[in-house]
Amino acid sequence: MGFYVVQFLTGLASAASLFLVASGLTIIFGVTRVVNFAHGSFYMLGAFIAYSLVKTLPLGPTGFWVGVVLAALAVGVIGVVMEVTILRRIYQAPELFQLVATFGVVMVAKDAALLFWGPEDRLGPRAPGLNKAIELFGSRVPEYDLVVIALGFVVLGLLWLLFNRTRWGAVVRAATQDREMLSALGINQKLLFTAVFFLGSVLAGLGGALQLPRASVSHQMDLSIIATVFVVVVLGGMGSIPGAFLAAVIISELSAFGILIFPKITLVLMFLVMVVVLVARPFGILGKPVPDVGEPVQSDETLTRLPSALGWAGYVAVVALLLAIPMLLSEFYLVLWTQVFIFALFAASLHFIMGGGGMVSFGHAAYFGLGGYGCAMLLVRAGLPMEATLLLAPVVAAAGAALFGYFCVRLSGVYMAMLSLAFAQIVWSVVFQWSDVTGGEDGVNRVWPSPWAKDRVVFYYLTLTLAAVGIFTLWRLLFAPFGYTLRAGRDSPMRAESIGIDIRFHRWLAFIISGAAAGVAGSLLALAKGFVGPTWVDIPRSIDALMMVLIGGVQTLVGPILGALTFVILEDRLSAFDYWRSAFGLIIILICVLMPKGIVGSGRALIGRLGLGGGGER
Amino acid sequence: MLEVQGLHTHYGRAEILADVSFAVGAGEVVALLGRNGAGKSTTLKSIMRLVRPTKGEVTFLGERISRLDPYQICRRGLGYVPEDRRIFTDLTVVENLEVARQAPRAGAPLWTLERLFHLFPNLAERRHRSARAMSGGEQQMLTVARTLMGNPRAILLDEPSEGLAPVIVEQMARAVQELKAEGVTIVLSEQNLHFAAVVADRAIIIEKGRIRYTGTMRAALADETVRATYLMV
């Protein structure tokens, strides 16, 4: 009995902290529609800053609480700086640009933490006066946990009062519904957004700072919590604070007790619950349909025309040029270009559903990883020849896409994106925890190509061929009747259904095709590197794909290819430096701010402005 | 009070407004008449900068407002009532009103909750109910009352009678007349000629994004060709 009570209370203490972070994210999303990936970084920074403040403030026992509060406020200021300097410039851009920009902030924050606090984990001090444990039913509960639980309820109460009993709260709730109307009623949206970012970031910082006595501060806190927080926010219903509370409790108790019952699949459990809930209640437990979301792509000039004969000739010329590369460049560049092709195919596969179907996947790494692991398993564990694995690995990825996509296509907009993220995390958890088969953290080694393809030049041609065939097939499909149907579903689902199109089925097919293409890319990379590991399925890999598509320009065919090229080359150039991650993050942010239509879109706009384009299209 | 000069507005490549110009004097009620899709709503939205005109100037109380944000325009005392109501259904009636509250304004009537409930008695009974649970007519009253909370000197009223039962249309007409009596300048877009005839001093007829006729309401109604060509009566 006592043991279960303690387990329950531990779960509740985790829930309190999780709720703080999640409520911040849900408030920010509700008003600004920004999916703030940097929220996890704010949580981490809150913990680090609190660590330093508590150590240095000469205030004795009160120093701890002063430090916690100051840390939360400092994180609030960081949130405001991000909002004012970056996001404010790109609210007009397609929604996902803001997400990509916040991911740039994640990279910068990671390096900043490394710079200021060094690479080691930091063990925070205990809260003064609360370092004992209380006896409950014969088991011991840390006093501090009880305080954290109480604080969770206090914050829930305060937020409820703020949102339901003040004018500002009413303004915020109105903003979640119709921001434009609010501005016509005299509310300064910019100021409101900034205030909301401050509040949300303070909550994230507070959540992090309060963890100080409970766990050591680490550099992995940011992305490890963000996935959980997304689950909580989506489960509770985006924008709903009581929902976030409820979901935080469910998720935390689930892992507190889940570890007793299913110790092997704790990580998977949380995501499975999310899938079940979202299938039953597509907008979360207490959520409402989100207005204006679900049209992440500006549809007016997206992929309306098939490339002309001249265009196709151009693409063929580019491929021909690429065929000549091995004669011109050294082996080092061959390896680099091989990667460019692989990621171009990966990006094109995501673009296929994003540009063509208006479906956003935050978890496309799942299919890339399934392809990679499929290839590794079949080759190394089953001993099949490379030729067979190259055929079968995409089938593995497509099967995964068929299973996950079946659920994803039932949702739209952010909910769909989040569900796809959850599925990717399930794959990641399985890969990570099922180490007997997948090698766990170490991954699978010695995934080598067949002897005939081992030569770098041959492998280069092999990759080029498969990537080019894959990309052209995807493009061709986009302009086949299948593609028209997809776009009809993207631009006007109701009308498309009313003329007898089964949108769900077409979206599902597109999802499967996209998954298969990502799988080809994944298996090629496995062979190129001779290795697969869990990072292949992790969140950053999924975001990589999103970045390539968006940075290149989602409205265009070539955009994702150029995005991949930019991405791979940047990464290669920068990775020699110590703080390459922040440099990379900064460049990503700059591209988002300066080229809100992506490289290709903004390039075209520039050409148009200079009057170089032949004028009137169509 | 309000001057619109050479307003052009495009949605994508389609031209919605072409060279729309008119002026409204203080205390006037002007009806913007025209068929569905003629450009009435777009004109009001363009003034409010809820859509960005491609060309043109708007002056309000002698100040150029065509570079301002919607919230700044509202804070200068120009209110806007949208045609599709757009009330905040997650909020109560009182919260809907409170959200739009602004400081008292010189030269404009001061509205309090009590005065608004007097103007629209139906709202008083439901003040703490969710706005979601109201009928279309009550929502229309709320959307007007909400704009008045900003104590505007002038309001843009987009299709105030659209989709309402005759009894409610009558109430709405009375409310507009009361506002006029208070000295509020009103520009309203209408398809309901009877409604416009009751409340408006002047008529501006717009078709295919161009102004076709300007004159007093009485003259517009008396002119057979105007009636036959533009007003379909």
Side-chain angles (χ1 to χ4, degrees):
Chain A
M1 175 67 192
F3 173 74
Y4 292 108
V5 172
V6 169
Q7 203 67 14
F8 178 75
L9 288 174
T10 311
L12 218 50
S14 306
S17 168
L18 191 56
F19 162 67
L20 290 179
V21 186
S23 63
L25 189 76
T26 216
I27 292 167
I28 290 175
F29 175 82
V31 175
T32 66
R33 296 278 178 272
V34 173
V35 178
N36 182 16
F37 259 93
H39 208 68
S41 307
F42 291 171
Y43 166 80
M44 175 182 77
L45 289 177
F48 270 121
I49 294 173
Y51 166 83
S52 293
L53 285 175
V54 171
K55 282 225 140 173
T56 49
L57 284 177
L59 292 171
T62 51
F64 176 80
W65 294 105
V66 174
V68 165
V69 171
L70 285 182
L73 292 176
V75 173
V77 172
I78 295 172
V80 168
V81 170
M82 174 178 90
E83 199 273 336
V84 172
T85 56
I86 303 167
L87 295 176
R88 195 174 268 194
R89 294 164 202 281
I90 50 175
Y91 283 126
Q92 307 300 326
E95 271 176 6
L96 291 168
F97 251 79
Q98 299 136 20
L99 177 150
V100 169
T102 62
F103 203 79
V105 175
V106 170
M107 297 187 191
V108 176
K110 227 178 175 57
D111 269 1
L114 215 54
L115 181 66
F116 289 120
W117 289 280
E120 306 88 29
D121 290 359
R122 300 286 174 159
L123 199 58
R126 304 250 149 195
L130 296 169
N131 41 17
K132 289 184 287 298
I134 288 176
E135 194 105 343
L136 261 179
F137 303 102
S139 293
R140 293 161 68 78
V141 189
E143 284 174 327
Y144 184 76
D145 275 11
L146 298 178
V147 173
V148 171
I149 294 171
L151 274 174
F153 280 101
V154 168
V155 171
L156 175 66
L158 286 177
L159 287 176
W160 188 86
L161 284 176
L162 177 67
F163 285 110
N164 292 287
R165 287 289 175 270
T166 68
R167 175 174 181 264
W168 191 79
V171 169
V172 169
R173 280 188 294 139
T176 49
Q177 211 179 344
D178 190 344
R179 306 183 299 206
E180 193 191 53
M181 189 59 230
L182 210 51
S183 73
L185 292 169
I187 303 288
N188 184 349
Q189 224 183 80
K190 280 185 185 161
L191 216 58
L192 182 68
F193 278 22
T194 308
V196 161
F197 256 94
F198 179 73
L199 176 63
S201 309
V202 164
L203 288 168
L206 188 62
L210 285 176
Q211 283 297 76
L212 210 49
R214 299 188 76 225
S216 61
V217 190
S218 84
H219 290 278
Q220 279 73 50
M221 285 171 82
D222 53 354
L223 286 184
S224 69
I225 196 156
I226 198 73
T228 316
V229 167
F230 279 160
V231 169
V232 166
V233 166
V234 168
L235 203 58
M238 300 206 74
S240 165
I241 290 170
F245 189 82
L246 213 62
V249 172
I250 292 173
I251 291 299
S252 301
E253 294 302 347
L254 195 71
S255 51
F257 288 99
I259 205 158
L260 306 175
I261 308 165
F262 316 103
K264 289 264 177 198
I265 58 160
T266 43
L267 292 172
V268 180
L269 216 52
M270 166 170 91
F271 296 106
L272 280 181
V273 169
M274 172 172 162
V275 171
V276 171
V277 169
L278 280 191
V279 168
R281 290 190 58 90
F283 300 106
I285 301 171
L286 295 178
K288 295 182 212 95
V290 182
D292 300 328
V293 179
E295 206 65 51
V297 176
Q298 284 175 340
S299 52
D300 46 333
E301 45 186 311
T302 305
L303 300 179
T304 44
R305 288 172 309 157
L306 187 71
S308 60
L310 195 68
W312 286 116
Y315 296 136
V316 172
V318 169
V319 172
L321 200 65
L322 291 172
L323 284 173
I325 277 192
M327 288 154 233
L328 304 171
L329 295 174
S330 69
E331 197 163 276
F332 169 78
Y333 284 100
L334 278 189
V335 175
L336 192 68
W337 276 97
T338 308
Q339 287 201 33
V340 170
F341 301 151
I342 291 169
F343 281 104
L345 179 59
F346 184 33
S349 76
L350 178 60
H351 176 254
F352 183 69
I353 55 170
M354 270 178 79
M359 296 184 278
V360 181
S361 166
F362 285 1
H364 224 53
Y367 317 107
F368 187 81
L370 281 174
Y373 270 96
C375 173
M377 295 297 167
L378 293 168
L379 200 75
V380 178
R381 302 260 197 269
L384 289 181
M386 180 193 83
E387 296 74 18
T389 62
L390 270 179
L391 280 175
L392 289 176
V395 176
V396 174
L403 176 65
F404 299 157
Y406 180 79
F407 298 103
C408 285
V409 296
R410 260 140 240 277
L411 305 181
S412 63
V414 200
Y415 282 93
M416 175 183 178
M418 291 292 180
L419 188 63
S420 64
L421 180 111
F423 280 124
Q425 288 300 100
I426 290 179
V427 176
W428 179 83
S429 316
V430 168
V431 161
F432 197 81
Q433 282 189 319
W434 198 14
S435 40
D436 297 346
V437 178
T438 61
E441 212 174 342
D442 299 329
V444 183
N445 281 304
R446 285 178 294 138
V447 191
W448 301 124
S450 295
W452 66 267
K454 263 197 172 136
D455 180 69
R456 294 215 191 283
V457 177
V458 177
F459 195 75
Y460 172 94
Y461 283 124
L462 178 68
T463 316
L464 176 60
T465 312
L466 288 178
V469 168
I471 290 168
F472 284 129
T473 310
L474 290 173
W475 286 0
R476 193 64 198 86
L477 279 175
L478 278 178
F479 292 97
F482 177 75
Y484 299 148
T485 313
L486 261 189
R487 292 212 297 281
R490 177 196 72 192
D491 293 339
S492 188
M494 298 260 269
R495 275 180 233 173
E497 292 214 328
S498 70
I499 56 167
I501 294 173
D502 185 348
I503 296 179
R504 232 177 231 183
F505 178 70
H506 281 86
R507 288 187 160 183
W508 189 43
L509 271 187
F511 211 91
I512 296 171
I513 293 168
S514 165
V520 174
S523 46
L524 281 173
L525 191 68
L527 291 167
K529 298 226 162 180
F531 164 80
V532 278
T535 55
W536 288 43
V537 219
D538 212 352
I539 295 174
R541 177 58 49 90
S542 290
I543 303 295
D544 285 354
L546 266 178
M547 285 199 222
M548 292 173 203
V549 171
L550 289 164
I551 283 175
V554 68
Q555 299 96 332
T556 60
L557 281 181
V558 248
I561 315 298
L562 285 183
L565 177 71
T566 315
F567 198 89
V568 172
I569 289 180
L570 261 183
E571 202 169 49
D572 177 68
R573 295 287 104 169
L574 291 172
S575 54
F577 299 101
D578 271 351
Y579 290 99
W580 69 274
R581 214 186 272 110
S582 50
F584 197 69
L586 280 175
I587 292 174
I588 297 289
I589 293 169
L590 271 181
I591 293 180
C592 287
V593 171
L594 298 178
M595 304 182 184
K597 285 183 174 169
I599 296 172
V600 175
S602 296
R604 277 190 192 162
L606 185 70
I607 290 171
R609 209 174 312 150
L610 296 176
L612 299 177
E617 287 182 35
R618 227 187 262 210
Chain B
M1 172 158 266
L2 179 71
E3 277 147 61
V4 177
Q5 218 153 55
L7 216 50
H8 290 256
T9 300
H10 293 79
Y11 289 153
R13 290 191 185 89
E15 185 180 61
I16 307 299
L17 296 184
D19 199 19
V20 167
S21 305
F22 61 89
V24 182
E28 246 192 326
V29 177
V30 173
L32 218 51
L33 301 170
R35 292 182 189 131
N36 218 352
K40 305 184 297 290
S41 293
T42 306
T43 305
L44 300 188
K45 281 185 182 157
S46 300
I47 294 172
M48 208 60 201
R49 303 255 312 150
L50 291 173
V51 299
R52 294 268 160 98
T54 26
K55 235 164 72 181
E57 295 291 336
V58 181
T59 347
F60 180 62
L61 295 168
E63 184 192 2
R64 195 172 75 167
I65 57 169
S66 37
R67 295 286 178 277
L68 300 180
D69 281 339
Y71 83 94
Q72 292 169 316
I73 295 174
C74 175
R75 287 185 184 182
R76 303 263 186 304
L78 182 57
Y80 168 74
V81 180
E83 78 182 305
D84 37 3
R85 295 172 195 148
R86 295 170 79 167
I87 58 166
F88 304 116
T89 47
D90 291 344
L91 274 55
T92 65
V93 169
V94 169
E95 282 174 336
N96 262 282
L97 297 173
E98 282 296 338
V99 158
R101 183 193 284 281
Q102 283 180 54
R105 193 184 314 280
L110 176 66
W111 295 96
T112 59
L113 291 181
E114 285 321 308
R115 280 197 70 201
L116 286 170
F117 288 147
H118 184 73
L119 188 66
F120 299 110
N122 301 36
L123 297 182
E125 298 156 24
R126 294 165 196 275
R127 62 177 79 189
H128 294 301
R129 294 257 211 95
S130 158
R132 190 190 308 277
M134 299 200 305
S135 71
E138 287 160 349
Q139 291 195 351
Q140 183 64 36
M141 292 174 194
L142 178 57
T143 180
V144 176
R146 184 179 61 180
T147 299
L148 291 177
M149 280 301 280
N151 305 314
R153 296 187 61 163
I155 58 175
L156 310 174
L157 202 51
D158 202 355
E159 305 250 2
S161 75
E162 195 192 19
L164 298 182
V167 194
I168 313 280
V169 174
E170 223 169 277
Q171 277 190 39
M172 201 50 79
R174 234 174 293 137
V176 171
Q177 281 165 334
E178 266 183 69
L179 293 182
K180 180 180 160 62
E182 294 270 356
V184 179
T185 307
I186 298 169
V187 180
L188 57 91
S189 80
E190 254 316 329
Q191 283 193 70
N192 181 338
L193 194 59
H194 303 291
F195 185 91
V198 172
V199 298
D201 305 318
R202 239 164 15 100
I204 296 172
I205 298 175
I206 189 164
E207 196 185 62
K208 289 186 184 152
R210 284 165 204 279
I211 291 190
R212 305 290 178 169
Y213 177 88
T214 320
T216 64
M217 195 68 221
R218 195 166 305 169
L221 289 171
D223 189 326
E224 274 309 318
T225 40
V226 167
R227 288 177 63 126
T229 326
Y230 303 118
L231 303 176
M232 297 183 294
V233 281

